[in-house]
């Protein structure tokens, strides 16, 4: 099967979040399973290339906005062909989605050009049977194919799967954007693109794709409810079923047995190195290892955003620190959350350490060195850190929502359901209680470490869904 994916980011070229990891790993896993897979992403200034990409198509005319002549470059990564849409006026900038804390005002044009160029890739470079579009930035590919290329044989019999990685980001623009991106005003109605007087590209992706999926079964259910639906729950119910497929983990990158970032490697069969990892990470973040080593160390690595449940931590911080624990936090994001954590570290200098910023190596060392990993998310489409934690023998304490609920069970971690500080404290209390019984605790660590969330199995689930679409 020829599968063409369209997205706004992919590792190792450009990454701001988990979406890029999926686009780096899933196509490679599909390729390993014997399917021809290609990916279209923008040629951002930030893209990291291992060697020069080569020209694949020169001067593709993209009739969006003022009209753009774009070049398509290509590179091969793990057997997958990546196509880069080179359009300097739109992508040669000092940010991927925006700069200085605000989104670029012409993001609708930027991602319309990405989507229309992807249609060009399908017509001239890589003929797909299945087109897999990701998030609102690629939703227009589905819309253009169905609206503008209905009679083009390239797309006859071709199916489009739309995957929602986070419903909190919908691509909402003023109504004037509809014509700017080359769409008929008549599509601006509540059954297609209109959302409370605005253009909603994610909604368009839902309306024009053949099937919709998201990144866990739990989140697939939740987004069809008013509580988690961001105003689109009814629309999603109408366009269902919504398929849920949990993301995989790249165990080349995330496995304590051969992780180059950590102080000592360890495995489920020999946990001894983990204590050394704890000692060194305590020192690295400035907590005293002599006192800290015996206390449970709770780790957090997260974007500081409302989605991640940081306000719950703020609510219970002093009660949390009544317990004899240490806390190591790495993250960045909303300034009020950053200062909340910094105040906490000042108030408890021996037991709380906070690092503000993005630091991949330190995130590995926190995963390895911590005893528990805390994720109190308000909502979580899939979540990756808790799956890494399982492999690192770092017992997750999570809110039972979306992918967190799907990937963690009573055998491998602790969950709380209510979004409240009390519920969080109760779950953490149970975890601290369990931690005292070292034999049982080690057994729980090992159960988590032996779980397998590798991409091979996930690719199999996507393939089954693709086949179902093509047959149906
Ligand atoms: P989301 O995509 O919503 O941020 P995920 O759990 O799916 O959440 O993925 C987050 C990824 O980003 C994980 O790999 C996590 O380790 C990483 N991460 C988040 N914040 C940081 C940070 N400050 N430094 C290093 N890695 C981070």
């Amino acid at each position: 099967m020829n599968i063409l994916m369209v997205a706004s980011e992919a590792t190792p070229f450009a990454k701001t979040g988990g979406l890029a990891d999926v686009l780096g790993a899933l196509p490679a896993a599909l390729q390993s399973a014997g399917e021809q897979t290609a990916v279209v992403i923008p040629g951002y200034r930030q893209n990291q290339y291992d060697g020069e990409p080569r020209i694949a198509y020169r001067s593709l005319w993209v009739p969006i906005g003022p009209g753009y002549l774009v070049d398509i470059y290509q590179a091969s990564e793990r057997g997958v062909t990546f196509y880069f849409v080179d359009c300097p006026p739109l992508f040669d900038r000092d940010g991927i989605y925006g700069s200085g804390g605000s989104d670029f005002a012409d993001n609708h044009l930027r991602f319309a050009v990405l989507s229309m160029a992807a249609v060009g890739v399908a017509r001239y470079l890589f003929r797909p049977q299945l087109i897999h579009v990701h998030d609102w930035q690629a939703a227009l590919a589905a819309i253009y194919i169905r609206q503008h290329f209905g009679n083009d044989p390239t797309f006859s019999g071709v199916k489009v799967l739309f995957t929602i990685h986070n419903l909190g980001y919908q691509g909402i623009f003023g109504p004037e954007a509809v014509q700017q991106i080359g769409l008929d005003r008549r599509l601006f109605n509540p059954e297609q693109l209109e959302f409370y007087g605005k253009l909603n590209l994610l909604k368009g992706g839902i309306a024009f794709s053949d099937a919709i999926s998201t990144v866990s079964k739990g989140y697939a259910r939740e987004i069809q409810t008013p509580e988690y639906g961001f105003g689109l729950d009814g629309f999603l119910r109408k366009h269902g079923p919504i398929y849920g497929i949990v993301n995989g983990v790249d165990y080349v990158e995330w496995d304590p047995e051969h992780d180059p970032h950590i102080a000592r490697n360890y495995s489920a069969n020999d946990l001894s190195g983990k204590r050394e990892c704890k000692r060194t990470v305590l020192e690295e973040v400035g907590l005293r290892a002599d006192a800290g080593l015996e206390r449970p160390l709770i780790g957090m690595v997260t974007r500081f955003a409302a989605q991640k449940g940081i306000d719950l931590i703020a609510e219970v911080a002093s009660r949390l620190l009544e317990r004899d624990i240490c806390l190591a936090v790495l993250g960045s994001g909303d300034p009020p959350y950053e200062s909340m954590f910094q105040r906490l570290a000042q108030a408890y200098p021996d037991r709380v350490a906070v690092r503000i910023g993005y630091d991949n190596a330190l995130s590995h060392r926190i995963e390895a060195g911590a005893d528990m990993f805390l994720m109190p998310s308000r909502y979580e489409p899939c979540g990756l850190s808790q799956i890494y934690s399982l492999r690192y023998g770092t017992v997750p304490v999570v809110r039972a929502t979306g992918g967190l609920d799907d990937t963690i069970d009573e055998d491998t971690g602790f969950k709380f359901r209510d979004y409240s500080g009390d519920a969080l404290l109760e779950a953490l209390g149970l975890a601290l209680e369990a931690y005292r019984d070292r034999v049982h605790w080690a057994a729980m660590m090992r159960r988590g470490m032996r779980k397998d969330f590798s991409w091979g199995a996930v690719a199999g689930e996507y393939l089954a869904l693709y086949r179902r679409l093509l047959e149906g």
Side-chain angles (χ1 to χ4, degrees):
M1 190 189 307
N2 280 7
I3 302 152
L4 182 65
M5 304 218 181
V6 190
S8 56
E9 50 182 274
T11 54
F13 306 104
K15 168 170 173 172
T16 70
L19 171 67
D21 290 326
V22 175
L23 270 297
L26 174 59
L30 289 165
Q31 191 76 29
S32 300
E35 313 300 333
Q36 288 300 314
T37 313
V39 182
V40 186
I41 65 168
Y44 299 113
R45 178 191 296 174
Q46 291 77 6
N47 281 11
Q48 308 267 337
Y49 302 108
D50 188 16
E52 278 290 295
R54 64 182 180 82
I55 187 84
Y57 197 101
R58 212 176 274 292
S59 302
L60 176 73
W61 174 245
V62 178
I64 299 291
Y68 296 91
L69 268 180
V70 310
D71 291 333
I72 308 288
Y73 284 83
Q74 77 175 67
S76 179
E77 179 73 25
R78 295 208 262 172
V80 176
T81 305
F82 282 80
Y83 294 103
F84 308 99
V85 178
D86 189 53
C87 184
L90 299 179
F91 300 127
D92 185 11
R93 298 191 182 174
D94 59 0
I96 285 186
Y97 301 117
S99 69
S102 48
D103 289 342
F104 294 128
D106 59 352
N107 271 345
H108 57 300
L109 285 180
R110 298 173 76 229
F111 294 109
V113 167
L114 167 72
S115 300
M116 192 60 102
V119 171
V121 168
R123 296 177 78 204
Y124 306 125
L125 292 167
F126 181 91
R127 283 257 172 155
Q129 277 100 46
L130 193 294
I131 300 183
H132 189 166
V133 298
H134 298 264
D135 278 350
W136 72 261
Q137 293 90 348
L140 276 164
I143 303 172
Y144 291 144
I145 287 167
R146 296 303 178 227
Q147 277 304 112
H148 297 348
F149 296 89
N151 297 323
D152 185 321
T154 309
F155 300 106
S156 128
V158 169
K159 299 290 178 181
V160 180
L161 173 65
F162 182 52
T163 295
I164 298 168
H165 294 261
N166 189 333
L167 192 63
Y169 302 88
Q170 299 183 356
I172 295 178
F173 302 93
E176 68 287 352
V178 175
Q179 273 160 314
Q180 291 170 5
I181 57 176
L183 292 176
D184 191 324
R185 282 279 311 172
R186 279 174 297 189
L187 298 183
F188 194 67
N189 69 73
E191 296 305 315
Q192 292 175 306
L193 299 178
E194 194 245 341
F195 184 70
Y196 299 102
K198 298 271 176 89
L199 165 67
N200 183 326
L201 291 178
L202 186 115
K203 183 172 181 179
I206 296 168
F208 284 90
S209 299
D210 297 298
I212 299 137
S213 77
T214 185
V215 289
S216 68
K217 289 193 168 45
Y219 195 57
R221 278 191 304 275
E222 286 174 354
I223 57 178
Q224 298 180 67
T225 66
E227 191 183 351
Y228 294 95
F230 285 98
L232 286 177
D233 46 293
F235 197 68
L236 282 163
R237 285 197 302 278
K238 199 165 143 196
H239 287 269
I242 314 296
Y243 298 95
I245 300 178
V246 165
N247 289 338
V249 164
D250 185 354
Y251 288 121
V252 174
E253 172 88 3
W254 293 95
D255 189 335
E257 226 177 312
H258 40 69
D259 186 335
H261 301 294
I262 65 180
R264 263 202 33 214
N265 293 117
Y266 60 93
S267 68
N269 295 328
D270 178 7
L271 289 170
S272 57
K274 189 164 169 73
R275 195 170 165 85
E276 180 59 17
C277 291
K278 180 171 179 180
R279 201 182 59 71
T280 47
V281 84
L282 284 169
E283 280 172 359
E284 179 175 357
V285 298
L287 296 174
R288 280 182 41 208
D290 52 351
L293 209 48
E294 296 315 315
R295 292 187 176 118
L297 172 62
I298 299 172
M300 286 186 80
V301 178
T302 182
R303 288 186 287 120
F304 290 152
Q307 176 201 336
K308 299 295 178 180
I310 314 290
D311 52 336
L312 284 191
I313 312 266
E315 182 191 325
V316 299
S318 56
R319 285 157 72 201
L320 187 66
L321 270 305
E322 281 169 14
R323 316 295 300 252
D324 193 24
I325 58 160
C326 286
L327 185 62
V329 182
L330 167 64
S332 62
D334 296 352
Y337 292 140
E338 293 186 357
S339 21
M340 184 280 288
F341 275 118
Q342 277 166 331
R343 280 197 306 274
L344 206 59
Q346 277 159 12
Y348 300 90
D350 292 342
R351 295 197 292 130
V352 179
V354 176
R355 287 287 173 280
I356 307 291
Y358 192 92
D359 185 339
N360 182 50
L362 178 57
S363 77
H364 284 245
R365 288 193 281 276
I366 291 177
E367 284 285 3
D371 297 295
M372 301 169 195
F373 199 91
L374 183 58
M375 287 180 80
S377 304
R378 184 180 283 276
Y379 74 92
E380 195 62 74
C382 177
L384 289 171
S385 300
Q386 83 282 7
I387 311 181
Y388 305 152
S389 301
L390 289 177
R391 182 53 61 105
Y392 282 74
T394 303
V395 174
V397 179
V398 304
R399 173 146 186 268
T401 182
L404 296 175
D405 199 15
D406 283 12
T407 54
I408 305 303
D409 55 40
E410 302 78 57
D411 283 346
T412 56
F414 295 84
K415 303 201 268 197
F416 60 99
R417 210 155 279 280
D418 285 355
Y419 189 76
S420 74
D422 284 337
L424 184 159
L425 281 181
E426 193 184 324
L428 202 63
L430 290 172
L432 294 172
E433 189 84 14
Y435 180 78
R436 288 207 228 124
D437 182 341
R438 288 312 177 86
V439 175
H440 278 96
W441 187 261
M444 188 172 211
M445 289 165 67
R446 288 200 177 89
R447 283 195 296 272
M449 295 174 87
R450 294 197 169 114
K451 293 267 174 192
D452 184 6
F453 287 88
S454 46
W455 273 105
V458 181
E461 285 189 62
Y462 274 107
L463 261 180
L465 178 53
Y466 298 160
R467 292 207 176 100
R468 188 167 346 153
L469 291 180
L470 288 170
E471 281 156 16

